[in-house]
Amino acid sequence: MGPRPRVVSALTGFRGAISLALALSVPADLNSGNPFPGRDTIVFVTTGVILTALVLQGITLPGVVRWARLPADATLTDERHLARAQASQGALAALPDLAQQLDTDPDVVDRVRHELEEHLALLNAHRDDTQDEADPDPSLRHAEHYTALRLATIAHKRNTMIELRDGHHIDDTVLRQMQAALDIEEVRLHRLEDID
C-alpha cells in the first residue's frame, strides 16, 4: 500500500469510539450521589471533539479520495470470471460421463459440447477484450449482436401478444402466461450479456 491509500485509510478510521467509551466510564461518586467532579465536562468535550472530527472527515473525504487516485478494485470481477471459466471447464470435462449416465443422444451431447466450448471462448474473448480495447474479438462482437437481436425479437413478440389480446384473440390469462415466459427469456439473455 502506497502513501496515498494510507492517507485515505487513516482518514476513514474510527473517530473517538474508545475516547467516548473512556469518558462514559468515568465513575460517579457513589457516596454523595453526585457524578465525578468534571465528569459532565469530560463527556461533553469528548463528544464535541468526536463530532467535529466526523464533520471534518465527512467534508474532506471526497477530496482526499480524488487526490489519492485509488485504482479500481477488480477482485470481484476476476473471481467471477474464474468461477465461470472453471465451472464451464468442469462441465465440459464431465460431459462424457454425464451423457453416458443419462444415455443421452450423441447429437444432443455434441450440441451441449458446442455450447460449452462457445461459452468458454466468449469468456476468454471478453477477458482479452477488456485488456485490449482497440481490437475487440469478433466472437464477442457476434455474441453482443446475437443478444441485441434476440432482445429485439422478444420485444416484438410481446407487442404482438398484446395486439392479440386487444383484438380479443387471446385472454388476459394467456397473455400473462406468455409474458412470464418472455420475461424469463429476457432475464436469461440479460444475464448472458452481463457474463459475456
Side-chain angles (χ1 to χ4, degrees), residues 105-171:
D105 185 83
D107 292 337
V108 175
V109 176
D110 290 339
R111 179 179 174 188
V112 172
R113 179 182 293 111
H114 176 71
E115 288 175 359
L116 286 170
E117 288 170 349
E118 185 177 90
H119 181 70
L120 273 170
L122 286 172
L123 283 171
N124 293 332
H126 180 65
R127 173 60 69 184
D128 296 340
D129 183 52
T130 55
Q131 294 169 358
D132 184 15
E133 295 287 338
D135 187 23
D137 190 284
S139 60
L140 182 62
R141 196 168 42 248
H142 175 76
E144 291 171 352
H145 289 180
Y146 171 81
T147 303
L149 183 60
R150 290 286 289 127
L151 289 171
T153 58
I154 288 172
H156 192 273
K157 284 181 182 180
R158 193 181 309 276
N159 291 337
T160 303
M161 288 179 194
I162 291 172
E163 289 173 7
L164 286 171
R165 190 270 321 265
D166 292 346
H168 304 290
H169 299 289
I170 61 173
D171 68 4

